[in-house]
Amino acid sequence: MSGNLRCVIVAVDGSEESMKALRWALDNIKLRLPPSDSEAGSFIILHVQSPPSIATGLNPGAIPFGGPTDLEVPAFAAAIEAHQRRITEAIFDHALKICSDKNVKVKTEVVIGDSKEKICEAVENLHADLLVMGSRAFGPIKRIFLGSVSNYCANHAQCPVMIVKDTA
């Protein structure tokens, strides 16, 4: 692909499909070389963490018999956040190993929120020239209930989107 790309975002979620998309990007995309008056292009590995309330799927809820209804359990939230940090570190360790094996330097970015919306926001905020992502190829039933992040991004991102599908 073109050698004039300044910013390529590769969205990773820890799935093998997202790591395959990263490998594809590193093998097939040429970034802009740094002329004397501008900086070189960069790959940005983006991971979106779910907010702690969504990540757990749990809400302690109201305490019966008139207790507070908006109770937060700080230790619970802190434990979830620490767990998410460990997951993100493991995902980045795997991604950075792939980049290291291919001798490519990358930047990393973590955002918290709904994956499809936050990926599109990152594309806009980082002025990406291309978004690369994998596709889990959910069947039609799962796609109805879970939605398709790659489909949403293909329709809403403010740059071209390359969806790398599994060929197996």
Side-chain angles (χ1 to χ4, degrees):
M1 280 192 123
S2 170
N4 199 26
L5 298 172
R6 290 174 288 121
C7 177
V8 174
I9 295 177
V10 182
V12 297
D13 62 3
S15 68
E16 190 50 43
E17 293 86 358
S18 71
M19 295 304 164
K20 183 176 181 177
L22 174 61
R23 286 184 197 93
W24 184 92
L26 298 175
D27 288 342
N28 293 289
I29 296 174
K30 290 184 171 60
L31 297 173
R32 179 170 63 184
L33 296 175
S36 58
D37 62 339
S38 69
E39 62 183 63
S42 63
F43 284 105
I44 298 175
I45 299 174
L46 175 70
H47 175 66
V48 182
Q49 288 182 348
S50 296
S53 61
I54 293 174
T56 62
L58 299 173
N59 181 350
I63 296 175
F65 310 110
T69 59
D70 59 349
L71 175 68
E72 288 206 17
V73 183
F76 183 69
I80 296 301
E81 289 170 6
H83 180 68
Q84 286 184 299
R85 275 193 302 277
R86 287 191 299 273
I87 290 170
T88 298
E89 288 170 10
I91 290 168
F92 280 153
D93 286 347
H94 186 190
L96 293 173
K97 170 81 169 86
I98 291 168
C99 297
S100 174
D101 290 348
K102 295 183 179 292
N103 201 26
V104 177
K105 293 185 184 200
V106 297
K107 299 173 184 175
T108 59
E109 184 86 21
V110 179
V111 292
I112 299 172
D114 179 64
S115 295
K116 57 186 180 262
E117 292 174 5
K118 291 299 180 177
I119 291 170
C120 290
E121 281 179 25
V123 162
E124 193 171 334
N125 294 340
L126 298 169
H127 308 289
D129 297 309
L130 179 66
L131 169 63
V132 178
M133 57 194 321
S135 174
R136 290 189 177 181
F138 286 143
I141 302 299
K142 277 189 180 178
R143 199 169 29 251
I144 287 171
F145 291 106
L146 299 176
S148 169
V149 174
S150 58
N151 185 51
Y152 181 91
C153 292
N155 288 298
H156 293 89
Q158 298 297 310
C159 72
V161 178
M162 173 62 70
I163 299 171
V164 179
K165 292 185 174 185
D166 190 10
T167 57

